[in-house]
Amino acid sequence: MRVCLIGPVPPFRGGIAKYCYSLAKALEERHELLLLSYARQYPAILYGKKPQIDGGIDREAVRREFRNLSFAVDSASVGSWRQTSRTIEAFRPDLVILPWWVTYWAPMYLYLLRDFRKKGIQVVVLCINVFEHEDNALKRALTRLVLTQVDRMVVHSGKEKEQLAALNPKATVKEHLLPLFEYHQVPQAPRAGRLNLLFFGFVRPYKGLDTLLQALALLKGRDLHLTVAGEFWKDKDDYLQLIERLGIAGRVEMVDRYVSEEEMTGYFSAADLVVLPYKRSITSGVIATAYGYGKPVLATRVGGFHEVVQDGVTGKLVPPDDPQALADGILWFLENQGIDFAGNIDRFTASKMSWPSLVDLIETLTRPRA
């Protein structure tokens, strides 16, 4: 089958680029793939002073991993959209795959979807998020405008499947858990009794870092250490003031910057427990990353987290926005360090969170080309 995937891949930073890269590798193993990445993913004004590229990754080395990869799409240029559509038409794909995660993509996707309909090109949209984590009425309207133009979609949680059923009841929607990001651990010396906690990724209000800090303060007599590894988009001073006020400065390490994949391996390898104290969310690539390192997860019972965290087996679930419940969850891990979390994670993810099984599902949504 001839497949085109449009999406960022490294050296672009972040979980979406890792997602598209991993999917592309699985697609290329069994199909003829045209992979179209970006010359410019976002205008600089949307990203502030933060770089969009991981300087430690060689773009040409990534290009050589694929038979047909180009970094040519300009998300902010209508001329580039037009050229992208022509390139895809010349490739004569059986299927075009579009990942959807934020409403920034609405103008380009609406243009491409209209063009693909005219040319009879099949499309499957992969909803990494249906709605943004930090949305509003305009963003929801744009999401509705795009996703009602699509008749085949894949989501990564039952909650999002319900959302799409309400949004576009005529569409065929399939569910597949977010596939596993696989990494290699760095061996660590055992630490008897101590529990190293990791909060990883961009720090935004909905992710509940304040709740985690308050939970840590409730456990002052315990041997705990928290590493917060990821960029603060704003309000870092508020968290620093909270840490001082709670008296936990000696137990918290702040790494306020983008963490490269090499550095990430060190942080996840050193962690005993990855904590997602989110106040709201549907899915998170951090869980898939933690599982890739064989690390258990303490998460809140929000969105579709209950589908991917087996309570008491691969991790623990607690109510959101509740410092005491989160503290009790941390205590549970302190008291149950003998559980074979890595083995449990291996067994769970092998059948439910693989990239080949996601490709299998996408193939079921593809009609034979006339």
Side-chain angles (χ1 to χ4, degrees):
M1 191 162 71
R2 297 170 68 82
V3 179
C4 174
L5 170 62
I6 305 175
V9 296
F12 285 104
R13 297 167 38 185
I16 303 299
K18 289 187 179 73
Y19 177 105
C20 291
Y21 170 84
S22 299
L23 175 60
K25 295 293 282 186
L27 285 166
E28 186 151 281
E29 285 185 2
R30 62 175 91 163
H31 299 296
E32 186 173 349
L33 176 67
L34 171 63
L35 178 55
L36 300 179
S37 189
Y38 293 92
R40 175 170 56 167
Q41 185 177 204
Y42 299 112
I45 192 172
L46 295 183
Y47 238 68
K49 296 180 180 179
K50 296 176 172 61
Q52 298 183 42
I53 298 295
D54 185 337
I57 297 177
D58 182 351
R59 189 172 81 165
E60 292 308 308
V62 175
R63 192 197 302 273
R64 289 192 295 272
E65 293 186 53
F66 297 92
R67 292 188 297 271
N68 199 353
L69 163 61
S70 74
F71 293 91
V73 183
D74 185 339
S75 69
S77 165
V78 176
S80 176
W81 307 348
R82 190 178 299 118
Q83 180 57 50
T84 298
S85 183
R86 286 197 292 261
T87 298
I88 293 169
E89 183 182 21
F91 178 66
R92 298 186 70 248
D94 298 286
L95 180 69
V96 173
I97 300 172
L98 295 176
W100 171 262
W101 67 100
V102 289
T103 50
Y104 170 77
W105 301 106
M108 186 177 91
Y109 279 19
L110 287 169
Y111 177 94
L112 291 175
L113 287 168
R114 184 187 63 181
D115 230 27
F116 294 158
R117 273 196 306 274
K118 289 179 182 178
K119 296 169 180 175
I121 296 173
Q122 297 182 77
V123 176
V124 168
V125 168
L126 299 181
C127 293
I128 302 169
N129 299 315
V130 173
F131 296 106
E132 288 189 42
H133 297 302
E134 296 171 333
D135 66 354
N136 54 40
L138 175 60
K139 290 179 178 180
R140 284 185 166 262
L142 286 170
T143 297
R144 187 172 293 106
L145 187 60
V146 172
L147 297 185
T148 52
Q149 306 298 310
V150 183
D151 61 5
R152 283 163 291 169
M153 289 177 274
V154 175
V155 295
H156 295 309
S157 74
K159 179 72 172 177
E160 288 177 309
K161 190 172 183 180
E162 292 173 9
Q163 290 176 334
L164 284 180
L167 190 71
N168 187 354
K170 295 182 179 179
T172 299
V173 181
K174 301 286 188 178
E175 179 187 350
H176 186 287
L177 293 182
L178 190 65
L180 188 70
F181 296 122
E182 296 184 0
Y183 302 98
H184 299 290
Q185 286 198 62
V186 175
Q188 302 289 311
R191 300 170 300 273
R194 176 169 170 166
L195 199 69
N196 282 334
L197 314 177
L198 176 64
F199 177 102
F200 186 82
F202 291 127
V203 181
R204 292 178 174 172
Y206 77 87
K207 293 188 176 181
L209 176 58
D210 57 334
T211 308
L212 176 54
L213 296 173
Q214 292 168 51
L216 198 62
L218 295 173
L219 299 168
K220 287 184 178 176
R222 303 289 181 160
D223 191 3
L224 301 168
H225 183 268
L226 170 64
T227 299
V228 179
E231 288 174 304
F232 287 75
W233 280 63
K234 57 181 179 179
D235 303 328
K236 179 184 177 182
D237 287 344
D238 292 345
Y239 292 105
L240 293 176
Q241 290 169 18
L242 178 60
I243 288 169
E244 288 298 325
R245 192 161 64 248
L246 294 171
I248 57 173
R251 306 168 79 196
V252 180
E253 176 189 5
M254 291 284 210
V255 184
D256 177 19
R257 56 182 167 76
Y258 172 74
V259 177
S260 70
E261 189 161 314
E262 182 179 352
E263 292 176 295
M264 181 175 69
T265 293
Y267 288 119
F268 275 91
S269 296
D272 300 301
L273 176 63
V274 179
V275 188
L276 290 85
Y278 291 17
K279 300 181 181 185
R280 63 182 186 281
S281 189
I282 301 293
T283 60
S284 172
V286 174
I287 296 177
T289 302
Y291 282 0
Y293 286 101
K295 301 296 181 176
V297 169
L298 172 60
T300 47
R301 196 177 291 277
V302 297
F305 283 9
H306 68 283
E307 296 177 67
V308 70
V309 179
Q310 291 185 301
D311 200 6
V313 180
T314 65
K316 189 76 176 165
L317 292 167
V318 298
D321 212 8
D322 185 336
Q324 185 60 61
L326 200 61
D328 291 343
I330 294 169
L331 278 176
W332 184 88
F333 279 96
L334 273 169
E335 294 164 359
N336 289 276
Q337 294 187 62
I339 293 176
D340 181 16
F341 290 113
N344 293 341
I345 288 165
D346 259 354
R347 287 183 284 275
F348 176 72
T349 58
S351 61
K352 296 179 179 292
M353 298 179 69
S354 78
W355 295 101
S357 65
L358 176 57
V359 174
D360 291 341
L361 184 64
I362 291 169
E363 289 171 353
T364 69
L365 292 169
T366 309
R367 294 188 294 264
R369 186 168 58 187

